[in-house]
Amino acid sequence: MNSPPARPDPLILVDNEGVTDPPLNLALEEWALRNLDPQYRYLLFYVNEPSIIIGRNQNTLEEINRTYVKKRDVQVVRRMSGGGAVYHDKGNLNFSFMTDYKPDRLHNFDRFTQPLRRVLASMGVEARLEGRNDLVVGDGRKISGNAQFSTSRRMFSHGTLMFNTDRKALAQALNVTPDKIDSKAHQSVRKRVANIAEVGGRVYDVPTFRRRLIDGLFPQDDTPVYTLSRDEWDAVEALADKRYRRWEWTVGAAPHFDVRRRDRFDEGEVDVRMSIDDGKIDRIQIYGDFLGTWGTTAPLEHHLRGTPYDPEALRKKLAEVDVSPVLGGLSNDQFGNLLYERG
């Protein structure tokens, strides 16, 4: 006699209490994965302020339009999972399914998106899984990207649901101006995107959309909800500070990449070649036809080695020296702006 099929572990909704801070939401996701009772499966929904969420193995500087990000105060945060960079705003609903790790669940995006596709279909949105990890509609326009992270025991499969995302902002925030960065990191694949609000039924805003998804995913009358205690929220805040709010994680954790920056000034052409490791300048060489009076750029190059490749860190480091005699009259501000491409 065959044994009856095992019942799936109960699914519980994690309440993020309306948090829209990207580092805190990513910290909540990781904390929940590592700390909540593993006899259950969990689902987390969250909405972020305008932000770019970078894949674990990406070079942050290669993925973002730095001019736009700075001007519009768009946060940039690295996540635990792989995949490409994604843009979040208040029109984007993010989800994360947390469950036990099993080999057949890894990279099985069909399994984790099937419940969402079922509920979307009830709203008039016929979505299908295409490629490695995208949900698309109609002629192949993308409405969701997905990625996964696992420990030895637990895993999450998470993704975006673009309901009424500002697509113009998305294109500008991720539209990196072609510069001379040569990286071995994975660059995001840009795809045509669509908003669910454009192709779906009569759902009017993100909170209503979230409510419809919850009603469809939890058929019982009362949705089981996990509410964090104050001490648990303190632990999530501590994790956000330790990892997701740190430059060393978001930028410094990038794989090795090379930068070439070149421009012509009244003082002559300056051509800078840099190798960046762990987010810091590992090697730097300065070339050009400027009329420097020191005869060599070696002292300046030595001074800059080990400096984080970050505009504020570079500004402070350059404030300790005067580059003018080395670079034929070029000012510290001019050289600093050359070192770090703003867009």
Side-chain angles (χ1 to χ4, degrees):
M1 179 177 178
N2 293 329
S3 299
R7 295 181 60 188
D9 298 333
L11 181 64
I12 296 176
L13 182 69
V14 178
D15 183 6
N16 89 320
E17 301 184 17
V19 168
T20 58
D21 177 42
L24 194 58
N25 276 323
L26 291 176
L28 172 60
E29 179 180 51
E30 182 184 350
W31 180 90
L33 181 77
R34 298 185 187 278
N35 292 278
L36 293 183
D37 190 338
Q39 70 175 303
Y40 301 109
R41 295 175 297 133
Y42 297 92
L43 172 59
L44 171 67
F45 281 120
Y46 60 93
V47 174
N48 278 331
E49 298 287 343
S51 52
I52 298 174
I53 311 301
I54 302 292
R56 178 64 183 88
N57 302 309
Q58 291 187 295
N59 172 9
T60 301
L61 301 176
E62 204 171 40
E63 295 296 328
I64 65 175
N65 180 338
R66 280 158 269 165
T67 299
Y68 183 88
V69 163
K70 183 177 181 180
K71 182 179 179 181
R72 298 300 180 94
D73 198 25
V74 176
Q75 293 195 60
V76 181
V77 189
R78 187 184 300 278
R79 62 180 185 266
M80 294 291 287
S81 63
V86 291
Y87 177 77
H88 288 181
D89 63 14
K90 293 272 185 88
N92 185 85
L93 180 64
N94 308 288
F95 64 89
S96 181
F97 287 99
M98 305 174 201
T99 186
D100 284 340
Y101 165 76
K102 293 182 179 179
D104 65 342
R105 293 176 179 174
L106 203 59
H107 309 302
N108 189 347
F109 294 105
D110 181 69
R111 173 193 178 96
F112 287 101
T113 61
Q114 192 279 330
L116 291 170
R117 285 181 280 137
R118 173 177 53 80
V119 181
L120 286 171
S122 72
M123 301 181 197
V125 181
E126 297 294 338
R128 64 186 184 275
L129 187 67
E130 187 173 277
R132 295 183 306 163
N133 56 345
D134 293 335
L135 293 185
V136 302
V137 294
D139 59 353
R141 289 185 296 163
K142 177 179 174 179
I143 62 169
S144 171
N146 294 264
Q148 293 179 338
F149 169 76
S150 74
T151 67
S152 59
R153 296 184 57 201
R154 300 283 283 174
M155 66 176 290
F156 62 65
S157 187
H158 62 181
T160 62
L161 288 167
M162 290 180 286
F163 181 72
N164 59 357
T165 295
D166 185 338
R167 291 193 294 169
K168 183 178 179 181
L170 181 156
Q172 290 180 302
L174 295 175
N175 182 24
V176 183
T177 302
D179 58 11
K180 299 180 180 67
I181 289 182
D182 180 18
S183 172
K184 295 181 180 178
H186 170 73
Q187 285 184 289
S188 293
V189 177
R190 311 301 183 204
K191 279 198 171 185
R192 291 184 304 154
V193 298
N195 276 318
I196 292 168
E198 301 168 5
V199 296
R202 302 182 65 182
V203 180
Y204 298 105
D205 55 27
V206 170
T208 304
F209 178 53
R210 177 181 181 275
R211 185 71 258 169
R212 290 282 301 273
L213 288 173
I214 291 172
D215 289 344
L217 293 167
F218 295 89
Q220 58 268 51
D221 292 336
D222 295 321
T223 301
V225 177
Y226 187 90
T227 302
L228 276 70
S229 68
R230 185 64 263 163
D231 287 345
E232 289 172 330
W233 272 115
D234 287 344
V236 174
E237 285 278 3
L239 178 57
D241 288 339
K242 178 182 178 181
R243 190 192 309 280
Y244 296 101
R245 292 179 176 137
R246 290 174 62 85
W247 177 92
E248 289 82 359
W249 169 253
T250 293
V251 180
H256 170 90
F257 62 99
D258 297 320
V259 179
R260 182 182 181 186
R261 300 288 298 124
R262 179 174 58 185
D263 203 354
R264 176 162 290 280
F265 305 90
D266 291 341
E267 295 79 6
E269 183 181 79
V270 182
D271 183 348
V272 184
R273 321 283 179 93
M274 291 175 283
S275 291
I276 313 298
D277 272 317
D278 295 327
K280 298 179 180 180
I281 298 175
D282 180 52
R283 296 189 305 278
I284 177 171
Q285 292 177 295
I286 304 170
Y287 304 93
D289 60 5
F290 48 86
L291 298 173
T293 58
W294 280 16
T296 176
T297 58
L300 178 57
E301 293 163 354
H302 178 77
H303 181 73
L304 290 171
R305 289 191 188 103
T307 305
Y309 191 60
D310 170 78
E312 184 61 21
L314 289 167
R315 185 191 65 78
K316 290 180 179 179
K317 193 68 174 177
L318 287 172
E320 300 172 2
V321 297
D322 180 8
V323 306
S324 181
V326 186
L327 302 177
L330 201 70
S331 71
N332 282 30
D333 285 344
Q334 287 175 306
F335 185 58
N337 290 336
L338 174 65
L339 287 177
Y340 193 92
E341 167 64 51
R342 261 77 174 172

